[in-house]
Amino acid sequence: MTRQFNNLIDGEWTAGERYTPNVNPSNTNEIVGEFASASAEHVTAAIAAARRVFPVWSSYPCQARADILMRAAQTLRAESQRLGELLSREEGRALKEAISEVIRAAQIFEYFSGEVVRTGGEIFPSTRPGAEVFVTREPLGVVGLITPWNVPIAIPAWKIAPALAYGNCVVIKPAELVPASTWEICRILMEAGLPKGVLNLVMGPGRVVGEAFLASPDIDAISFTGSVATGRHIAAQAVQSQKKVQCEMGGKNPLIVLDDADLEIATDVAIDGGFFWTGQRCTASSRLIVQKGIHDRFVARMLEKMAALKVDHALKDGTQIGPAVDERQLSQNLRYVDIAREEGGDVHGGGRLERETPGFYMAPALVLNTQNHWRINQEEVFGPVACVIRVENYEDALAVANDTQFGLSSGICTNSLAASTHFRRHSRAGTVAVNLTTTGSEYHVAFGGRRASSYGAREQGRYAMDFYTAIKTSYVRA
Ligand code: NDP
């Protein structure tokens, strides 16, 4: 019998009003588990529990808070193989990368365990005689976290860990497609000694559970990662009720390849950034802006490397690219390949693939001779589809790179210090990579984008404190 997984409300594993199967996209005959859907009443109970325990958690001894986060990190590391397999099974990520994501989650908990004692503050002289001014940080209260399906354990971790570290209570809603990894984080934190009610898990669809967050007057802040359309809706609703809000959304990220680039580095970076994780990365480099002198050699080497890529069951030895997450995403990818063809692109690869097990497999697609204003270069596909845009020189490349509604990540492959420095300063993106993939983000530094890609404060590193705390200014005369 398929195992059922419940919501976590006020420290109790609580049955749902119904259960949704979590299907393995590498083998649709396999059900990873059945996951409880929360009702609006469950969400209200979860928020109430978080609100009730907030005075306890926000004044908890900081060493005890740090120890809980560190114990959770240790368990994540100890269970990384099993949790990596689980992530592969629910999302379709190739196993090696899935295990790396679990390790990343552990690193995030380790980092924020340390941050608990580094919150600090500042003291200023007062303009009034005999007084001093203290600027300190306080937790916000109850934070609602809403996460997407494409990074099932690291994104929940990079929201839960700072929220708890800075003394907030949490209600989290993972994407309905991939609830298992977040369920495991919650189990691990409870086993690590987190008091009941501090962290609550409410699974189910966004239109029920997510909307209940937006409607609640008892949620102080919402941190969201997902699509632009949902993010804009959430931001608008949150502003109406004056909730603090942070949204990380989509991208259409450029990678410039200049004539003087190292061809092997440039093609490795483009293959990784465009196709690994099945292209299901907000930071994927889907627009390859290539200078004319290296263009033909770049394309030839890309096609050679693409031919060697292994697309298969995420748990199979040697698989580099797993399936799309579900039929809806695969159909969207294939539809965009058709759009690229209709717009005049020269498509290599890009078809549906059959494998031993029934799944959502697709060959990576490289689309040549494209123009930046085409839909295929302006809309996020979220699949293994990358387009080549040929340009004359660096100035044209920069203009094309910035000509998009998005501004999440960008990259340049070049051996010119002048070009890379100019690009770093003038790229209209939140993250810039030089001779590295646009997808690399590290847990100790700020992550986030600009324009349509992001709204609100940055995530990760000590920058997370700006979102998860409120500033208080105290004037004191002794
Ligand atoms: P969605 O916007 O569809 O969903 C994101 C989350 O929002 C899910 O948990 C979803 O629930 C929930 N949701 C949906 N509707 C509502 C609503 N009305 N109110 C509240 N919550 C709601 O995005 P995807 O899950 O499809 O994720 C892919 C997108 O995420 C891509 O655009 C990608 O670029 C972006 N992304 C951005 C990142 C970044 O850091 N910038 C990182 C990773 C992904 P459910 O699906 O369960 O119904």
Side-chain angles (χ1 to χ4, degrees):
M1 217 183 97
T2 310
R3 183 172 165 197
Q4 292 193 323
F5 294 82
N6 287 334
N7 290 308
L8 178 64
I9 299 173
D10 202 6
E12 304 300 329
W13 294 102
T14 308
E17 49 172 23
R18 58 185 177 82
Y19 287 80
T20 306
N22 181 348
V23 178
N24 181 346
S26 296
N27 178 3
T28 54
N29 292 328
E30 192 204 338
I31 306 297
V32 177
E34 291 190 342
F35 289 79
S37 282
S39 62
E41 291 70 35
H42 286 134
V43 179
T44 304
I47 295 169
R51 172 68 56 206
R52 208 166 40 244
V53 76
F54 175 65
V56 176
W57 182 243
S58 56
S59 53
Y60 219 62
C62 62
Q63 187 60 52
R65 209 189 293 161
D67 289 347
I68 290 169
L69 297 185
M70 187 55 83
R71 278 197 293 274
Q74 286 160 350
T75 310
L76 283 162
R77 279 189 188 277
E79 296 188 14
S80 60
Q81 178 72 29
R82 185 185 73 76
L83 293 173
E85 284 172 17
L86 180 67
L87 195 162
S88 282
R89 284 164 61 224
E90 74 169 343
E91 200 255 356
R93 182 94 48 77
L95 180 59
K96 204 170 132 212
E97 291 169 340
I99 293 172
S100 303
E101 192 184 319
V102 177
I103 296 295
R104 171 58 58 95
Q107 290 165 339
I108 290 165
F109 276 99
E110 285 159 1
Y111 177 85
F112 283 104
S113 166
E115 283 302 278
V116 170
V117 292
R118 282 196 286 264
T119 312
E122 289 182 296
I123 306 174
F124 292 86
S126 171
T127 57
R128 287 173 279 183
E132 270 184 318
V133 188
F134 296 79
V135 178
T136 50
R137 302 264 181 175
E138 294 182 353
L140 298 171
V142 178
V143 180
L145 309 178
I146 302 177
T147 55
W149 52 261
N150 68 318
V151 189
I153 201 157
I155 288 183
W158 82 50
K159 293 183 191 295
I160 292 172
L164 296 179
Y166 298 123
N168 301 283
C169 293
V170 170
V171 184
I172 182 165
K173 188 211 101 58
E176 209 181 11
L177 275 174
V178 298
S181 300
T182 304
W183 189 95
E184 292 285 353
I185 293 189
C186 293
R187 171 192 62 82
I188 286 169
L189 277 161
M190 292 310 288
E191 287 173 10
L194 199 65
K196 286 181 175 192
V198 173
L199 172 64
N200 300 272
L201 169 69
V202 279
M203 301 177 284
R207 65 179 183 283
V208 177
V209 179
E211 289 291 340
F213 283 20
L214 300 177
S216 171
D218 277 326
I219 286 201
D220 299 287
I222 295 188
S223 177
F224 164 85
T225 301
S227 63
V228 174
T230 311
R232 283 185 177 158
H233 167 68
I234 287 174
Q237 295 297 309
V239 167
Q240 280 292 321
S241 53
Q242 290 187 292
K243 293 177 175 47
K244 196 169 182 181
V245 65
Q246 162 187 72
C247 297
E248 283 303 333
M249 300 171 278
K252 193 73 194 177
N253 310 293
L255 174 68
I256 294 175
V257 180
L258 294 186
D259 283 350
D260 69 354
D262 179 309
L263 186 64
E264 281 313 294
I265 290 178
T267 47
D268 280 350
V269 162
I271 292 276
D272 181 334
F275 304 137
F276 284 4
W277 291 36
T278 324
Q280 296 173 161
R281 291 197 272 200
C282 50
T283 47
S285 47
S286 48
R287 293 187 296 138
L288 306 174
I289 302 164
V290 186
Q291 200 176 354
K292 63 180 180 184
I294 197 172
H295 177 275
D296 292 357
R297 282 181 294 134
F298 175 82
V299 166
R301 192 73 185 114
M302 282 292 285
L303 292 174
E304 250 173 52
K305 287 187 177 175
M306 282 170 68
L309 289 174
K310 195 166 166 216
V311 181
D312 210 326
H313 193 300
L315 291 177
K316 226 180 202 175
D317 258 0
T319 292
Q320 289 165 293
I321 298 175
V325 73
D326 66 356
E327 181 57 44
R328 192 198 57 81
Q329 184 61 51
L330 176 58
S331 306
Q332 173 169 309
N333 299 347
L334 298 173
R335 199 165 61 247
Y336 270 109
V337 169
D338 286 342
I339 288 170
R341 205 176 275 116
E342 285 158 18
E343 288 181 306
D346 176 10
V347 177
H348 292 253
R352 190 187 278 262
L353 298 173
E354 297 294 326
R355 291 292 179 259
E356 266 171 33
T357 46
F360 309 112
Y361 300 105
M362 171 181 175
L366 188 68
V367 189
L368 307 179
N369 302 318
T370 71
Q371 310 248 338
N372 192 53
H373 66 268
W374 291 358
R375 278 184 68 191
I376 193 63
N377 280 319
Q378 292 295 326
E379 297 172 18
E380 185 182 47
V381 176
F382 221 52
V385 181
C387 297
V388 176
I389 304 164
R390 187 201 300 248
V391 290
E392 286 287 316
N393 51 40
Y394 167 70
E395 288 70 28
D396 292 348
L398 175 65
V400 169
N402 284 338
D403 183 11
T404 165
Q405 63 164 320
F406 299 106
L408 187 52
S409 66
S410 68
I412 188 166
C413 290
T414 180
N415 279 315
S416 159
L417 179 62
S420 63
T421 303
H422 189 275
F423 184 68
R424 206 163 48 71
R425 291 183 182 152
H426 297 276
S427 169
R428 293 171 71 191
T431 309
V432 180
V434 178
N435 294 321
L436 290 166
T437 161
T438 57
T439 54
S441 69
E442 300 183 19
Y443 60 85
H444 60 303
V445 287
F447 176 72
R450 298 178 182 179
R451 297 185 283 164
S453 294
S454 286
Y455 184 81
R458 286 283 185 272
E459 298 200 81
Q460 305 205 54
R462 62 185 162 77
Y463 302 89
M465 188 159 63
D466 292 337
F467 182 73
Y468 290 102
T469 63
I471 289 175
K472 179 172 280 175
T473 308
S474 313
Y475 300 92
V476 180
R477 185 167 64 193

